Amino acid sequence: MGPQHPATHGVLRLKLVLDGEKVLDCEAVIGYLHRGIEKVVESQDYQQIPPHMDRIDYTAAVSNVLGYVEAVEKLMGVTVPPRAQYLRTLMTELNRLASHLIWLGTHALDIGAMTVFLYAFREREEILKVFEACFGARLTTHAFRIGGLAEDIPPGVLDKVREFTDYFPKRVAEYEQLLTGNRIWMNRTIGVGCISAEDAISFGLTGPSLRGSGVRWDMRRAKPYAAYADMDFEIPIGKNGDTFDRYLVRMEEMRQSNRIIRQALDRLPDGPVRAKVPKVIKPPAGEIYHAIEAPKGVLGYYIVSDGSSKPHRLRVRPPSYFNLAAIKKMIVGSLVADVVAVIGTLDIVLGEIDR
Amino acid sequence: MTLRQLLRKVFLIDFLEGFAITGPYTFKKVYTEQYPKVPAKVPPRFHGAPRLNVDPETGKTLCIACDLCAQACPIGLIEVQRERNAETKRWELKGYTYNAARCMFCNLCAEACPTNALELSQTFEYAVYDMKELYWDKAALEKGPTVVRFTK
Amino acid sequence: MPEEKSPRPETPASPPADKKPKPPEKEPFSKAETLAFLQSALPDSFSEAYTFLGQDFLLVNKASLPELAELLKEDPSQDYALLEDITAVDYPQNEKRFELIYILFSLTRQDRLFLKLAVADGETAPSMTGLWESANWAEREIYDMFGIRFDEHPDLKRILLPEDWHGHPLRKEYGLAQQDEEWIARNLELIKPQSHLGVPSNKEIEHLDVSQPKS
Ligand code: SF4
Ligand code: SF4
């Protein structure tokens, strides 16, 4: 199956061994999108790297850049002004919504629900308009700079976001009404792609894929970053670890993200949005690992600095890479048609897997 | 299967619930943008085609040939050809090329520019058939890309 | 159009912090009970323990790594159940040039532990696949990118690059634009390596006819 298959969400090739309709063995072949980003950034200055980070997981560019700039700030000991922290939280959560909406739309489309795709992309469009107004681009936003934001967000955007948060929960309820009780949806997802909590931990699954198996672990809680320590939100978990539970977890996560955005809007402090950082960024020699909860799971950055203006090594821990590794466990023994559902529920982005 | 579930199945409740959502959209406002017919509006911060600004009064370029934009670019696609004027000891701009085919519109170059000479404008309709047409020199950058509209 | 964009306002500076922050330094290991526990259970398993910027590192000896990892994972007082990542760093000037870094996470204690293992070029490292499934792909990627082999790995082959590719790109001596020309010639005959995207390099632009965009 693949590499050019619409249901693989990119260029993923799965070697399947079949017995009739049943999957006996599976091997994922990846690397079609390998661009060598980890090598390229070794030749770039620290402030030139965020645009490359955008392109790791292009559906969640804002979170990627957040993880990177926070890692560098931690290494340099820079304190980011509170307004920038809140704006970062707000934008990252909007990005989480955008990413989850893509997942919902494409996942539903794969399983055969066309309408949800259109509705989800309509809401995503509103979020992308916000990004466009604030950062000048829709997907590869280059949102944050080391030390804060490039400039404060333009006036009027916050009202737009507030309006969005007002009607968004109603829209989520609409999707749920279309899918959750839907007989076809339930038959296609319940009991499909099960993974137990122990296996999920052993495979290094993170994000909603892990929480669907009932492990309450979220980096926003475990090691708060940006302004998440001040935010009040819940971490939804599933029970059975099947596709339906992961679907419910992500739906609830969207509501919680909406809550976080509301809180960030209400408490947004005034002040500067960028700390004073030198023109040429030279972090002290040393190494840092910083991980954030990206929409797809734990996104970690391991940066080794040798004191010069270019990193000695920058390792990205991509959540999708580890999530995809578990696919064999999840689909062996099920039907070919379920493979599509499982790829969708893992919410992978090949740009992030191959880097 | 409980009685409730059976009744739901017999009366196609989940089916009707779906229609309760999709049906009313027949009467709601259409969300789709009619892009090529109705020109799309982009916000002022949009990072589109690059432009070298000129002084509106004298028509001279604002660029002081400091090369900062070329150094800021992660890809190194800007080339500033310059010469030092022997008398004034200042850099003089001889030529400027911008390889828009490789640009990722990150705005780092425009942020580095001390005189706001280089700017990413709001134009986004610069698609061309031949990639070579995306190497813009100083004159092309000052003029900005020309939007070609094809009609039937 | 350019009104709103042109003069970029200076970002107001935040109140100046006290001069230059001191560069971070190694501190004594912050997890005292973990250290005491390991010292009593496996006294010679690690050569150094320190904390850097709030991260706890253990420099592990190669022979005792599997035992140590198993102890950290299984013992209820430690419970590092999740292997978050394995990565490697290349230090060409070191005698043992590669450093493997194992990032463990404990879900009950909500903290991380970093294990470091120095590996020389050509030396193998013990595989963690028996303990954590996530090590499987992580080790394959390290083999692909650095050429470090792992003992007892069930399926050690390249993952991101083609299987018959030569060279390991994340080694420092591997050039930025270096490619396995032979492989490309063999597999991508249709496309000439030099201009395989049709994009001349910036140096080539000068020879091009740079005309104004057609109107
Ligand atoms: S926008 Fe970015 S990629 Fe393009 S020329 Fe400027 S700095 Fe380079
Ligand atoms: S940074 Fe601005 S002034 Fe300097 S060379 Fe580039 S365009 Fe000209």
Side-chain angles (χ1 to χ4, degrees), chain B residues 72-75 77-78 98 103-110 120:
Chain B
C73 179
I75 316 174
L77 56 83
I78 301 177
Y98 189 105
C103 180
M104 50 188 183
F105 304 103
C106 62
N107 206 26
L108 278 173
C109 49
L120 296 183

Side-chain angles (χ1 to χ4, degrees), chain B residues 43-118:
Chain B
R45 277 190 197 178
F46 187 78
H47 301 163
R51 181 176 64 210
L52 267 181
N53 287 335
V54 291
D55 192 326
E57 279 150 35
T58 57
K60 272 200 189 142
T61 178
L62 285 174
C63 177
I64 51 168
C66 62
D67 205 31
L68 282 179
C69 50
Q71 284 164 19
C73 179
I75 316 174
L77 56 83
I78 301 177
E79 266 184 41
V80 182
Q81 289 125 27
R82 52 180 189 170
E83 251 172 39
R84 204 184 266 284
N85 188 324
E87 287 166 32
T88 56
K89 296 272 187 289
R90 286 182 179 228
W91 289 112
E92 272 181 8
L93 190 65
K94 291 289 167 214
Y96 194 101
T97 46
Y98 189 105
N99 181 352
R102 300 184 62 198
C103 180
M104 50 188 183
F105 304 103
C106 62
N107 206 26
L108 278 173
C109 49
E111 269 168 42
C113 182
T115 58
N116 284 317
L118 184 65

Side-chain angles (χ1 to χ4, degrees), chain C residues 7-124:
Chain C
R8 273 177 201 284
E10 278 284 295
T11 330
S14 62
D18 23 288
K19 288 310 153 222
K20 270 205 164 164
K22 266 198 285 170
E25 281 166 6
K26 287 184 187 178
E27 294 154 22
F29 199 69
S30 69
K31 293 196 187 72
E33 12 70 79
T34 304
L35 197 62
F37 169 78
L38 289 176
Q39 263 160 354
S40 65
L42 285 169
D44 295 325
S45 60
F46 55 94
S47 56
E48 200 188 337
Y50 64 89
T51 297
F52 181 82
L53 278 174
Q55 312 168 91
D56 305 306
F57 289 98
L58 282 176
L59 303 193
V60 189
N61 303 329
K62 188 179 145 194
S64 44
L65 174 63
E67 238 179 312
L68 181 84
E70 190 170 353
L71 199 65
L72 285 170
K73 185 190 172 204
E74 307 290 350
D75 194 276
S77 74
Q78 303 305 319
D79 195 22
Y80 286 94
L82 192 97
L83 177 67
E84 212 174 312
D85 196 9
I86 309 178
T87 187
V89 186
D90 183 7
Y91 298 101
Q93 71 281 10
N94 286 7
E95 188 193 341
K96 291 192 165 190
R97 64 180 287 185
F98 298 114
E99 201 166 62
L100 286 172
I101 296 148
Y102 297 80
I103 304 171
L104 310 186
F105 199 97
S106 163
L107 296 177
T108 42
R109 299 153 48 126
Q110 303 287 8
D111 65 9
R112 281 200 192 91
L113 186 66
F114 297 76
L115 306 181
K116 273 189 174 183
L117 173 68
V119 192
D121 199 1
E123 202 183 338
T124 58

